[in-house]
Amino acid sequence: MNALTFTLKKPLQFSLNCQLLNPTHLADKSSSDIASMLLNYGNSQCRVDDIFEIFGIDAQNICFKNSSDKLDYLGANMASGKMVIEGDAGAYLAYQLKKGEIHCKGNSLAYAACNMINGLLTIDGNTGDFLGGASAGLRKGMRGGTVIVKGNAGDRAGDQMRRGLILIEGNTGDYCASRMIAGTIGVLGKVGEYACFNMKRGTLLLTTRPKLHATIQDCGCHTLPFLNLMFKSFTQFKTKFSSIKTQRVQRFVGDAACAGNGEILLILPAE
Amino acid sequence: MLINGVQIDDTFAEAFNMRGTRIIITAQNLKWAYHAANAMTGFATSVIGCGVEAGIERELSFEETPDGRPGLSILMFAMGSKVLMQQLETRMGQCILTCPTAAAFAGIESEDRINLGKNLRFFGDGYQTSKLFANANGMAKRYWRIPVMDGEFLCEETTGMVRAIGGGNFLILAKSQIAALAAAEAAIQAMKLIPNVIMPFPGGVVRSGSKVGSKYKTMFASTNDAFCPTLKGVTNTELSPEIESVMEIVIDGLNFEDIAKSMRVGIQAICDLGEVSGVKRISAGNYGGKLGPHHFKLHEIMGTQA
């Protein structure tokens, strides 16, 4: 069956809320039902077929073509199937994703994987602030699943993250893993200032030592066998992280300012 | 039935339902994996006095273990799930947690789970850390990292618990103690190659087979006098005049087929030694078929092809 494909007809002036266009919501809907659905566009509503060319019938495989950063909430609340975004995505990409896979071939704006529960999100480009964070008013961010970012991430990546895995192959902005509750974040590039600010638990895996604030404490260099298990678990994803073999790390613990027991594991060359 | 001059009695071994589990122990090298595994399976010969019956199933190469280090798989059996869980936690805490460089992982998957590191983590006094990793099948498993003086103790949260069978057995009747033990050693060597089974007694061999009951009220099992060579003249003996020593091999396993297979290779190894080895008969222990639901009939077992 052909993937259900939404091709953006023309550049958008305002943000379009796309949360209804996911496999879970579109299952069992006819082409005409989908075409006539109303989406929030700026402060008004418009029909799906006013904005997208619609092609294909397989609602478990959805493809967005010619997409732009005006498309917010792509894959939001998705609980099954696959979504491919051939282009950029707006804010709240994979918001509260429950199950399934989303592959964004471009960049995304802030709050990608926000409140994510499970599933897999891959972003080939860069992403904005609050990757895997919590939406406004919530005290817990991402609660499970895996996020892979091939490019860079903005500030506050993993803010209040509760569980799950975020792998960033590029750099991150400031306050990476801030207020992190648990889970694992890996960064192959550079990390901005105030990494692990108010971190409670969880792991930030790094390859380059960032400038750390005073309440992150050095616990020395160690060989940790669990890393072998962790790197082995990365091999199921197409990411540079799966090529890491060493179990030798320098361990920093913090944030002592909030009696935190989180850790930064700085990967060292094998002995 | 006569195989290579050794008589196989027309009898059967009577075995019981048990609950079993498998644990994978890894360490920096096999030497330390053995230290951990030997401690954990020590004093685990019989449920009568030890709570569990346990043994080392086999060595594992680094490709076969979750953390890529050399390791051993251990099988542990008990009469019920509660005892099994209790014994496993105690032995994990005293034998694996304490052993330098050792780590423990689930060795069997099932819906029934019992604790491996779930409660042991509290030894970490708040510094323990959990990690959830997905395996190749996408199934997430929780592991505990407990800070200890040699670094970190890594342990999976739970392991599987399955229905199992305990008490498969056969008896080696020989002209001398030396001959009986040599035959038993040959059998154990062959049986150790069979997966999913253990022979929980010292060296895999029992010299004190028991019968149910005793003349003493406090004892619920006592020496199997019918097979004691020094009592031939005073008891209802099962032994002919030339038998001077009897050894028993007890087998616990995860399924009937593997226990039967291990019995077959064990008995065959003894028969291969021939009559000249001093072994006269192979028999088996049972309770008349009234207590255990699993009957391993020697003639059927030795009649089937390996």
Side-chain angles (χ1 to χ4, degrees):
Chain A
M1 282 200 290
N2 292 330
L4 181 57
T5 305
F6 297 95
T7 307
L8 197 61
K9 287 178 176 174
K10 57 185 179 186
L12 299 175
Q13 192 178 358
F14 308 111
S15 292
L16 180 75
N17 187 329
C18 299
Q19 67 171 319
L20 297 180
L21 302 182
N22 73 58
T24 314
H25 196 260
L26 298 184
D28 305 325
K29 282 200 168 48
S30 68
S31 300
S32 58
D33 287 344
I34 295 169
S36 61
M37 282 167 60
L38 293 175
L39 303 177
N40 289 333
Y41 179 56
N43 61 0
S44 62
Q45 289 192 314
C46 61
R47 283 170 59 102
V48 171
D49 59 358
D50 286 344
I51 294 191
F52 296 106
E53 298 276 0
I54 305 170
F55 174 77
I57 51 170
D58 182 8
Q60 286 305 301
N61 285 292
I62 291 182
C63 180
F64 285 89
K65 286 190 172 173
N66 197 25
S67 69
S68 82
D69 62 8
K70 297 291 184 192
L71 303 184
D72 289 349
Y73 289 99
L74 282 167
N77 300 307
M78 187 168 135
S80 63
K82 286 186 179 179
M83 181 179 286
V84 176
I85 300 151
E86 294 186 354
D88 294 343
Y92 293 97
L93 169 65
Y95 171 80
Q96 221 156 285
L97 173 66
K98 295 181 178 76
K99 205 177 172 186
E101 289 179 25
I102 299 175
H103 183 186
C104 174
K105 294 186 176 178
N107 306 315
S108 84
L109 294 183
Y111 287 103
C114 169
N115 299 356
M116 182 168 157
I117 295 166
N118 209 334
L120 173 65
L121 168 65
T122 308
I123 301 169
D124 287 351
N126 302 325
T127 189
D129 298 342
F130 288 97
L131 170 69
S135 57
L138 288 188
R139 303 290 298 274
K140 285 176 187 169
M142 179 175 167
R143 282 181 283 159
T146 303
V147 179
I148 297 165
V149 179
K150 307 274 185 187
N152 305 322
D155 294 343
R156 299 267 182 187
D159 181 59
Q160 299 193 96
M161 180 177 172
R162 172 66 186 84
R163 200 181 292 119
L165 174 66
I166 297 177
L167 298 175
I168 301 162
E169 293 184 7
N171 307 321
T172 68
D174 296 340
Y175 292 96
C176 180
S178 61
R179 303 186 290 177
M180 189 172 173
I181 303 164
T184 304
I185 301 174
V187 183
L188 287 183
K190 290 179 180 166
V191 172
E193 291 194 18
Y194 295 106
C196 302
F197 182 83
N198 266 358
M199 184 189 201
K200 289 168 188 70
R201 278 184 176 268
T203 303
L204 177 60
L205 188 69
L206 299 178
T207 52
T208 52
R209 182 174 176 160
K211 185 182 167 192
L212 296 172
H213 52 287
T215 48
I216 301 290
Q217 289 157 355
D218 187 356
C219 291
C221 299
H222 308 280
T223 301
L224 302 179
F226 97 93
L227 288 169
N228 199 4
L229 222 64
M230 187 160 84
F231 295 141
K232 216 190 250 186
S233 75
F234 292 167
T235 54
Q236 61 188 301
F237 309 114
K238 288 175 186 165
T239 165
K240 290 176 187 169
F241 281 89
S242 50
S243 62
I244 303 171
K245 301 290 179 210
T246 178
Q247 296 171 34
R248 190 86 185 140
V249 289
Q250 188 170 0
R251 186 171 192 257
F252 300 86
V253 171
D255 184 347
C258 64
N261 198 21
E263 64 182 359
I264 294 176
L265 298 179
L266 180 63
I267 296 170
L268 302 173
E271 280 186 330
Chain B
M1 179 185 269
L2 205 64
I3 302 176
N4 208 16
V6 179
Q7 184 194 316
I8 312 294
D9 285 1
D10 187 10
T11 186
F12 62 91
E14 191 172 345
F16 303 88
N17 288 322
M18 295 184 96
R19 303 284 265 169
T21 187
R22 183 190 279 121
I23 306 109
I24 293 172
I25 306 296
T26 67
Q28 183 178 284
N29 53 39
L30 263 183
K31 175 181 156 186
W32 283 99
Y34 267 109
H35 282 314
N38 285 333
M40 192 174 189
T41 58
F43 189 60
T45 54
S46 169
V47 290
I48 294 172
C50 312
V52 287
E53 297 179 7
I56 296 169
E57 184 187 17
R58 68 184 182 98
E59 290 181 4
L60 301 170
S61 67
F62 61 89
E63 293 104 338
E64 295 175 286
T65 59
D67 63 353
R69 301 191 300 171
L72 297 164
S73 71
I74 287 174
L75 290 175
M76 193 175 276
F77 301 89
M79 296 308 286
S81 51
K82 199 175 167 185
V83 185
L84 186 62
M85 192 184 293
Q86 211 170 36
Q87 286 283 336
L88 180 59
E89 284 201 312
T90 308
R91 287 163 191 265
M92 281 292 297
Q94 299 305 310
C95 309
I96 308 301
L97 171 68
T98 57
C99 180
T101 76
F105 305 95
I108 197 163
E109 295 305 328
S110 72
E111 282 188 11
D112 287 341
R113 309 295 295 178
I114 51 175
N115 298 342
L116 208 52
K118 194 173 183 176
N119 291 325
L120 209 54
R121 72 178 195 259
F122 295 113
F123 183 75
D125 201 22
Y127 296 106
Q128 70 273 20
T129 313
S130 90
K131 282 284 158 211
L132 207 61
F133 298 134
N135 62 15
N137 305 322
M139 196 175 81
K141 289 179 151 203
R142 185 176 296 283
Y143 300 86
W144 284 99
R145 295 164 54 201
I146 301 166
V148 285
M149 295 196 306
D150 82 339
E152 270 187 354
F153 170 54
L154 178 64
C155 185
E156 200 166 324
E157 182 165 77
T158 59
T159 184
M161 177 172 59
V162 295
R163 297 199 179 280
I165 298 170
N169 69 80
F170 61 88
L171 302 167
I172 305 158
L173 289 69
K175 279 166 68 175
S176 69
Q177 196 180 69
I178 290 170
L181 192 57
E185 285 178 1
I188 289 295
Q189 196 177 353
M191 294 166 80
K192 277 188 170 175
L193 301 176
I194 307 299
N196 302 327
V197 297
I198 53 157
M199 285 64 74
F201 284 92
V205 189
V206 199
R207 61 105 173 256
S208 60
S210 58
K211 67 174 184 293
V212 177
S214 162
K215 67 183 279 191
Y216 303 106
K217 285 179 185 172
T218 53
M219 301 285 288
F220 50 89
S222 60
T223 192
N224 192 357
D225 52 76
F227 283 92
C228 288
T230 56
L231 300 179
K232 271 186 283 197
V234 293
T235 186
N236 191 13
T237 189
E238 291 278 344
L239 307 179
S240 49
E242 75 275 21
I243 304 300
E244 264 187 35
S245 184
V246 179
M247 303 282 179
E248 182 177 0
I249 293 179
V250 174
I251 309 115
D252 297 332
L254 297 179
N255 57 61
F256 186 95
E257 291 71 27
D258 284 322
I259 294 174
K261 194 175 174 186
S262 71
M263 286 175 68
R264 181 166 64 240
V265 300
I267 294 170
Q268 188 60 53
I270 293 168
C271 292
D272 288 345
L273 298 174
E275 196 182 2
V276 290
S277 68
V279 177
K280 305 300 288 183
R281 276 169 61 199
I282 300 293
S283 190
N286 62 61
Y287 310 94
K290 292 174 186 168
L291 295 180
H294 307 286
H295 298 167
F296 295 91
K297 295 175 180 166
L298 296 188
H299 281 193
E300 279 183 15
I301 285 172
M302 295 315 293
T304 53
Q305 291 300 307

